Amino acid sequence: MEKKDFEAWLDNISIAFLSLTDLQKNETLDHLISLSGAVQLRHLSNNLEILLKRDFLKLLPLELSFYLLKWLDPQTLLTCCLVSKQWNKVISACTEAWQTACKNLGWQIDDSVQDPLHWKKVYLKAILRMKQLKDHEAFETSSLIGHSARVYALYYKDGLLCTGSDDLSAKLWDVSTGQCIYGIQTHTCAAVKFDEQKLVTGSFDNTVACWEWSSGAKTQHFRGHSGAVFSVDYNDELDILVSGSADFTVKVWALSTGTCLNTLTGHTEWVTKVVLQKCKVKSLMHSPGDYILLSADKYEIKIWPIGREINCKCLRTLSVSEDRSISLQPRLHFDGKYIVCSSALGLYQWDFASYDILRVIKPPDFSNVSLLGFGEIFALLFDNRYLYIMDLRTEKLISRWPLPEYRKSKRGSSFLAGEMSWLNGLNGQNDTGLVFATSMPDHSIHLVLWKEHG
């Protein structure tokens, strides 16, 4: 048939076909298909795929596509990225979906970052780190060797670890390199705290001392306790040093002169922890910005107002049980908003504004688990065998890491947490450096460090 005649015939057929009912159209197509050969059927198959399938993600407005995508789980989104380059481009640009996925993993979100591809990359990095935690592959270990007697006192700050030992010395280590920066002769150290210029030590000889790093000179000596000093804290702005002792007292000293300003009594056991911290909440007893002193013994946590007015009375005493067989673990978290401490009954969190118990967390077999660090998203815990990470949103343990036979201490000062910011949410940068340190029977320091991202 000539082309002209074919076109005229096709027009007539088309007009006639359009006049048919749907049933008649279907019967016509069935008849034509039955008359078709392999070439026609292949042609029909190829064209039907194009005609029937619609790329809705390509056809929809971008805002509507984003609205639909945010309902998908991250794994489905990643699978959808493989459909086509266009799908990958659209899905990768859906900032809200990837931000939500990161938040669900316990990641901190910086909303000021506008680069759409950034959040997909952050999620991929986050999912890898969380898998490493789940598979117990997120950490690595190393040791610091240099002391010749037991190490009781540890303090960590900004990548530096201070160790105090019965060998009458204190050392300052760079955790990233394992190098000793300073080593000075001291007394026996039961507690240490330092800054760039000075080191403050609490000792088993019942005294507190202040030392200069650069020269090793003793710049101040604080005498007055009748028992070992297990914990120290200080504030340069207030010119105040506080110390907790086995004589059941807390002493407040003038940091610059060594004068004892006050002795706080009321504890009935060794005072194993003192914390000097600014309040961040308002209540009838204190306002944001007020300095607060917390002191803890085996059974109680006492709260004291402190500042320019040194003479103070205990605001409140906190405990978890009247049963004297239930003791507090010698680790105490206070960030100005919440007080957290662990016991055989569980992990207790108090609201500092009201002193009410907000919650008690009781993971399985908690009787031997101690608190190391507590944040908005994660908590760091440990027992005789493992280091644990808990997701505080679900109160489930999400990771553990084996620990060696470290030196046990009822006071709790021979082990500590390292970097703490990641407990408020990982962000891809804060999962570096020291996680945990403890002293060993051979006088070395065992370090648990974040492993670099794969």
Side-chain angles (χ1 to χ4, degrees), residues 90-309:
V90 172
I91 294 169
S92 297
C94 188
T95 301
E96 184 179 356
W98 297 113
Q99 284 184 338
T100 301
C102 290
K103 287 179 181 177
N104 290 339
L105 287 175
W107 235 248
Q108 290 183 20
I109 299 301
D110 182 358
D111 294 322
S112 64
V113 179
Q114 299 297 319
D115 179 12
L117 284 175
H118 170 79
W119 291 110
K120 182 185 174 185
K121 293 177 182 177
V122 169
Y123 174 75
L124 292 173
K125 190 173 186 179
I127 201 71
L128 173 61
R129 181 57 96 192
M130 298 308 291
K131 183 179 185 303
Q132 288 176 337
L133 285 170
K134 183 179 179 181
D135 295 341
H136 320 306
E137 296 176 349
F139 305 135
E140 59 189 5
T141 60
S142 67
S143 296
L144 303 176
I145 299 172
H147 284 292
S148 58
R150 65 178 181 173
V151 177
Y152 246 40
L154 300 170
Y155 186 80
Y156 177 81
K157 179 183 177 182
D158 300 333
L160 300 175
L161 178 67
C162 181
T163 58
S165 170
D166 281 354
D167 64 8
L168 307 182
S169 76
K171 297 181 184 296
L172 189 65
W173 309 81
D174 184 331
V175 171
S176 63
T177 64
Q179 297 299 310
C180 181
I181 301 172
Y182 288 114
I184 62 175
Q185 293 299 304
T186 62
H187 45 188
T188 58
C189 295
V192 291
K193 184 175 181 180
F194 69 91
D195 56 38
E196 290 79 3
Q197 284 79 39
K198 64 181 176 295
L199 166 69
V200 174
T201 58
S203 176
F204 292 106
D205 68 9
N206 307 346
T207 70
V208 179
C210 186
W211 315 80
E212 188 177 66
W213 280 120
S214 57
S215 65
K218 185 194 301 180
T219 58
Q220 202 59 256
H221 210 168
F222 306 81
R223 292 183 174 91
H225 280 296
S226 59
V229 178
F230 291 140
S231 183
V232 294
D233 203 353
Y234 65 86
N235 183 277
D236 288 311
E237 179 186 351
L238 297 177
D239 189 33
I240 282 177
L241 181 145
V242 291
S243 56
S245 170
D247 63 12
F248 303 174
T249 70
V250 177
K251 288 187 179 292
V252 182
W253 314 80
L255 181 59
S256 58
T257 65
T259 304
C260 183
L261 304 173
N262 201 0
T263 299
L264 308 180
T265 60
H267 284 284
T268 58
E269 295 285 341
W270 293 357
V271 181
T272 56
K273 190 67 176 178
V274 290
V275 178
L276 191 58
Q277 170 72 40
K278 270 188 179 181
C279 174
K280 296 180 182 178
V281 292
K282 184 173 179 59
S283 77
L284 293 176
M285 297 182 178
H286 42 68
S287 301
D290 291 348
Y291 279 94
I292 300 294
L293 169 64
L294 264 62
S295 58
D297 63 29
K298 191 175 181 179
Y299 303 111
E300 297 177 336
I301 301 168
K302 292 186 177 293
I303 302 167
W304 316 81
I306 200 163
R308 305 292 178 188
E309 182 61 42

Side-chain angles (χ1 to χ4, degrees), residues 298-329:
K298 191 175 181 179
Y299 303 111
E300 297 177 336
I301 301 168
K302 292 186 177 293
I303 302 167
W304 316 81
I306 200 163
R308 305 292 178 188
E309 182 61 42
I310 300 301
N311 295 317
C312 59
K313 294 184 179 180
C314 180
L315 295 176
R316 183 66 64 92
T317 298
L318 306 177
S319 63
V320 300
S321 174
E322 294 183 0
D323 183 352
R324 303 296 275 187
S325 68
I326 304 298
S327 60
L328 298 175
Q329 298 285 355

Side-chain angles (χ1 to χ4, degrees), residues 378-429:
F378 302 111
L380 188 64
L381 313 166
F382 79 115
D383 62 16
N384 291 338
R385 299 175 59 200
Y386 294 102
L387 188 67
Y388 301 99
I389 296 176
M390 173 185 284
D391 188 328
L392 291 171
R393 298 167 300 176
T394 61
E395 299 183 2
K396 294 185 182 299
L397 300 176
I398 61 172
S399 184
R400 73 180 187 184
W401 182 261
L403 294 176
E405 287 290 329
Y406 57 86
R407 182 186 295 281
K408 307 301 188 296
S409 167
K410 292 182 179 180
R411 298 177 300 99
S413 61
S414 57
F415 39 77
L416 52 67
E419 301 291 345
M420 303 283 274
S421 64
W422 65 272
L423 296 173
N424 293 323
L426 292 156
N427 63 16
Q429 280 80 48

